[in-house]
Amino acid sequence: MKRITIVSIFLILFIVCKALAQTNNIKVTNINELNSAIKNSNPGDNIVLANGVWKDVEIKFYGKGTKEKPITLTAEAQGKVSIEGVSNLKIGGSYLIVKNLYFKNGHTPTKNVIQFKIDNNRIANNCTVTQCVIEEFTQPDRDVSDHWVEFWGRHNEFSNNYLTGKSNFGPTIMIRLEGNENIYNYHKIINNHFGPRPRKGGPHGETIQLGDSGTSMTPSHTLVANNFFDRCNGEIEIISSKSNFNEFRNNVFFESEGSLVLRHGNYAIIDGNVFIGNDNSKFIGGIRVINTGHWITNNYFYKINGEAFRSALAVMNGIPKSPLNRYNQVTDVVVAHNSFIDCKSPWQFSVGSNVSQSDVLPATEIRSARPERVEIANNLIYNNVADTFPIVNYDKVDGVNFNNNIINNENNGEVKPEGLITKTVSITKKSHNLFVPNENMKDVYMGFDFETITKDLFGNDRTTNNSIGAIVNPVKENAVLIDKSKFGTSWFNPEKAKAKSKTINVSTSEELISKLKEANSGDIISLNKGTFKLNSSLVIDKAISIVSKNKKSQLVFSSQNTAFEMHPKGYLTLKNVVLTGNKSQNTFNTLDKNMSKAYNLHLDNVEIKNFMSVLEVSKGSFADSITVANSVIKNCERGFMLNKEKNDGGDYNAEFVTITNTTFDGIQEVVLDYYRGGYDESTIGGNLTLKNNTFTNSGKAEKDQILIKNRGIVNVEFANNTFKNNPVKVIAILWGEKGQEPGENTIINSGNIEVVQNLELKLMY
Amino acid sequence: MKRITIVSIFLILFIVCKALAQTNNIKVTNINELNSAIKNSNPGDNIVLANGVWKDVEIKFYGKGTKEKPITLTAEAQGKVSIEGVSNLKIGGSYLIVKNLYFKNGHTPTKNVIQFKIDNNRIANNCTVTQCVIEEFTQPDRDVSDHWVEFWGRHNEFSNNYLTGKSNFGPTIMIRLEGNENIYNYHKIINNHFGPRPRKGGPHGETIQLGDSGTSMTPSHTLVANNFFDRCNGEIEIISSKSNFNEFRNNVFFESEGSLVLRHGNYAIIDGNVFIGNDNSKFIGGIRVINTGHWITNNYFYKINGEAFRSALAVMNGIPKSPLNRYNQVTDVVVAHNSFIDCKSPWQFSVGSNVSQSDVLPATEIRSARPERVEIANNLIYNNVADTFPIVNYDKVDGVNFNNNIINNENNGEVKPEGLITKTVSITKKSHNLFVPNENMKDVYMGFDFETITKDLFGNDRTTNNSIGAIVNPVKENAVLIDKSKFGTSWFNPEKAKAKSKTINVSTSEELISKLKEANSGDIISLNKGTFKLNSSLVIDKAISIVSKNKKSQLVFSSQNTAFEMHPKGYLTLKNVVLTGNKSQNTFNTLDKNMSKAYNLHLDNVEIKNFMSVLEVSKGSFADSITVANSVIKNCERGFMLNKEKNDGGDYNAEFVTITNTTFDGIQEVVLDYYRGGYDESTIGGNLTLKNNTFTNSGKAEKDQILIKNRGIVNVEFANNTFKNNPVKVIAILWGEKGQEPGENTIINSGNIEVVQNLELKLMY
């Protein structure tokens, strides 16, 4: 009897398990088969895309799986199924899983690459996208906006994916909250590797955006956890949280030029994240705080040197009774148990205060409402090299309570709260970038609800053994800040093996043209002695250096076409050469359109003469970096024309323009026109360095009588230049409010350098 | 053995029960004893205030009770302990209970009568105030603002209390949310009887306000349930919800001149409430909707005849990207399963649309954002007398989905959604004001999350048996809309027995003066034939009628003091008398200050002559109603001067001014000056009726050359008057935007009646 019972139980268990495990593999080889498989799918089905390139496919994956028996769409073999061309994927229904797809060599025909909704009647719930890669699946036109992943519905998950190289407008991942079907979403964005996103030059380059101001009152409850943000440089906001109750836990922000920004919405939790900067960059930020009720705990900041908007902890001023899309006052925020290691002035308050700009901005733009009821407690500031201004304040700091924070150096700043205590702290480097105090600092302040902070950065218990800062001892032996095994797919290797660069000698024009075409990215073309006559454009669509082998070789251009045509990803280095035109062409042009990715241009010891413009660009083009050093540019109509991005939405045509030790002579019109239009403090870019140059006999045909135009560019260094006999009224206009001032320049018979405190700005919303 | 066990168990149980039930009664007879008892209190203590009047006491009730053993503060006998004079109560700590206190004859010295916080370190949590009465415990100066009950902390309860007669500035109950200690509060305001709150004349007269715009982003979770709002006429908002996640369930709003307003904040639940109006009032409203995500279900509206802001269901237009304290767009709101019985045009959309006022208002004030993603489904509109305009729209209705709503009449309005279906509905009156369809209307629309609407108005199950409208059959036999046994205290009777009014004959001035003093409120003083000479003011501080017994008696005033001095609650009716001054005094004056409550003035067949002003008022005074009928007013310097409330915050000096069949002759300056200043559409008051009057030879010394001033008064009827030989430029200026237009008036030699479409308004925030 007993035996029969046991056997029966086993039998039942077996059947149940069998039923649960039962999957029905359906292999499909083209879109029609796929559509049919989807249409006929049942819970437990496993639809398998055959290996190969799936080109120009718009997949609508609809089905109703169950929790136990989801419907899966996957690849025959990981990495062997790529979605290419003009393609996308929409998911609708419930308990669907998409995995192992590889999006590359293309872009979406719609607003999204992966969308968790087919239409309003087919929204995804409890669906998962995992083990997928989206690589440079970016719009040909950088100005065309899209999202790579757009969330709708509830309880959807995006996990263990790798995304990189989005260079067009639009956040990489967007959470949408319009409609009750999409609130209380509890989406999970977990364990992904967000590979490098290049600088975009202006706003709309977030890696994740959660809602927008129009839905900023909605309860979202999205979890963003255990992701690796790896040089996500799209814009000043890596993550822009614009809804309520989102949670950001245990992510690593690695050398990403921006911040985790609580832009709209309230009651976010930012716990256990790691922010890693370096000694070289002021662009890498931490957390920027706006609005109400956030808890920022257990975070570890290392070498964050950003200022103001990009400081490790930037607490903003709000606009009194702010419009929905602007800046609410910061209130009731808790910042507790964080560690700031080797950061520069990590705490900045009333960031964005702009009371001084009342003349040029309407009252509804003036951020004068200081933070209130903000609790800063139990944090550690540690610097190996003393930073005696740990706090920067842009207004009075009267609404912030400091309790039991410890700093290992003197605080010589204007704000000296009693609750920031100078104390010797002995610290040990446990692993790369990880510094832990040798002893727990047990004088912990217990603020309201602080008993809910039960764990430290590594998940260690705080209830029995607590300490100031993000970490409680003992730390486990092998603790690391970044554990790459947690992030991204199991099958895709984001580290591309670099081809070894080779040097190719060329002696004739024909050789130059053909070798340039054949060269691999990274190669160096070495010009033998002599003159190379060229009557067509040289196309630059990869990283290439052109250098003279010995004495400067000459490139002489006779066509009306541009001498060099810069394509997306064209990284051109010219060294030690002479470029001569016939006054009918430009030296460098970008493509007129489809400049989908950035280009770079580096000139060193180059002579440029007899051209129309040195550089002309198209509106959608973007140069990451343009450097000119030790060069001579003469007898041209115009210099560098980075002035076509005139949306006036905070965008611009180049991130860095650096001109040093260079002579401009006989440039008829403007020498440089570098433009960033519109009032949008959410872009703070444009970087111009002009040092140790000489400008002579230039600007005579410039109708505005300005030699150098840098309208709206935020960061400008302008020093040690010589201006002689330039018949203009104004050499340049600097922007006082951004801290711009001319260094020591020599000016002879050349107009003045003006400084304007506040530019009149065009509001963009 | 067994027996011993059982005995042991009983013993343990006994001890436990004993311990639980143990209360320690501590009777106190004065504030010192009370303070000492509070200081020494322990869980389980019952502090008993001895019977009597506790005058000028400021009680700070601090303690830490437990859930099982709270600390209680109570009265020796219900109704026998009154808190009077300049007194208040602050509660701080946890698990405290206050009961059976009676606040009357006084006011608070602070901003609150009962405050759930002593100071920021002693906030109340899990505390209860129950079985208390606050009766006319109102500030002497109406302009001084306070709250009768102010909530702080979490999980506090205000239950089974009776509150009435707050006539000063400030919501009766206020929920405060500044600071994390006070969010997620889950307060309960339940089973209270909110007795009449008089009209305040302007804003800040709410019965309950939950947060303010500055904390409108906070999660509040206050429950307001099973309360009786009994003629709460303080202002246009009976309840002003200004925070998130509040719930309003099963309340009765009885003839209250306002609405339940979702002013700021989102995701309110309004379920199972009853709104009762009558045939006479256009002031009684229903629910006004602003913001996002509210669910309005199972409510029953009966004879709600309000318009626009006060319509049964008013869905407003928002301001695009609204400032925090203005009007967000309505989105994602569900209105389902409500019944609208004998209401006039119950559904009004884009209420507050003011695009036409772009000339006089800044862009940030223009409500042009129409409701979006609003679901109106399964509602019933039933009218015994056909109302063929069930929907009023102030803008396009393009963001509202109508599904499966039923109406028993033709819909001849501009908006004719398919989802509002005309159908015969047979209905039965089940009890007073309760009408229920005879059969369930089962064609119910199932919108997103509609399965969560599981109950009807009376708690009947909808999951097995559903119907359009608020009620599902079968309804239990004895169902009533208002069950008064649920509301208020068990001991206080709000229905005062009315003293029978008596008639007192007087023949001499001395008699008149002494009898007036002695008279009870409601008495009639009957003047015998003749002339009464008076050289002092007659004080009116109760309801009194003065009438001539036969032919008009004369009251002749010789003092420079006002003839009649109106005190708070002075309700004067004059009938059939002649009042004569000597041109040195006014006929009626209010007190200069401390006009804590409204006064009324009714003149019928009265002749007034030879006075300075007919009526002069003080700034803080407020007349509920002034009526003048069949009278003659002549040879006075000025008429009715209701123009002292010049805060320009939407306040004014009288609610109703009605002048009919009356002759004004020889008034030197303005005949009526009735002022409401400031732009605040949250007051829509001031009501002026001027009909069938004659104005002659008046206004000649009026410096503005206006005969009748009604600046800012919203509701004006102006018809069938005759104006003859009044040397003014302008008779009156009407406000076109408020629908004011002159009826048929006869104008001879008297200037013009002007109509101005939009007044220039002063913004008040």
Side-chain angles (χ1 to χ4, degrees), chain A residues 154 178-181 183-184 217-219 245 266-267 292-293 295 321-325 328 332 334 373 448-449, chain B residues 154 178-181 183-184 217-219 245 266-267 292-293 295 321-325 328 332 334 373 448-449:
Chain A
R154 291 176 171 176
E178 296 92 339
N180 286 333
E181 296 87 345
I183 62 171
Y184 295 110
M217 70 294 287
T218 59
F245 311 120
N266 309 283
Y267 301 99
T292 293
W295 281 65
K321 303 185 196 319
S322 172
L324 188 61
N325 61 333
N328 278 316
D332 301 302
V334 174
R373 299 186 302 273
F448 179 74
D449 266 354
Chain B
R154 291 176 171 176
E178 295 93 339
N180 286 332
E181 296 88 343
I183 62 170
Y184 295 109
M217 69 293 287
T218 59
F245 310 120
N266 309 283
Y267 301 99
T292 292
W295 281 65
K321 304 186 196 321
S322 171
L324 189 59
N325 62 334
N328 278 316
D332 300 304
V334 174
R373 300 187 302 273
F448 179 75
D449 267 353

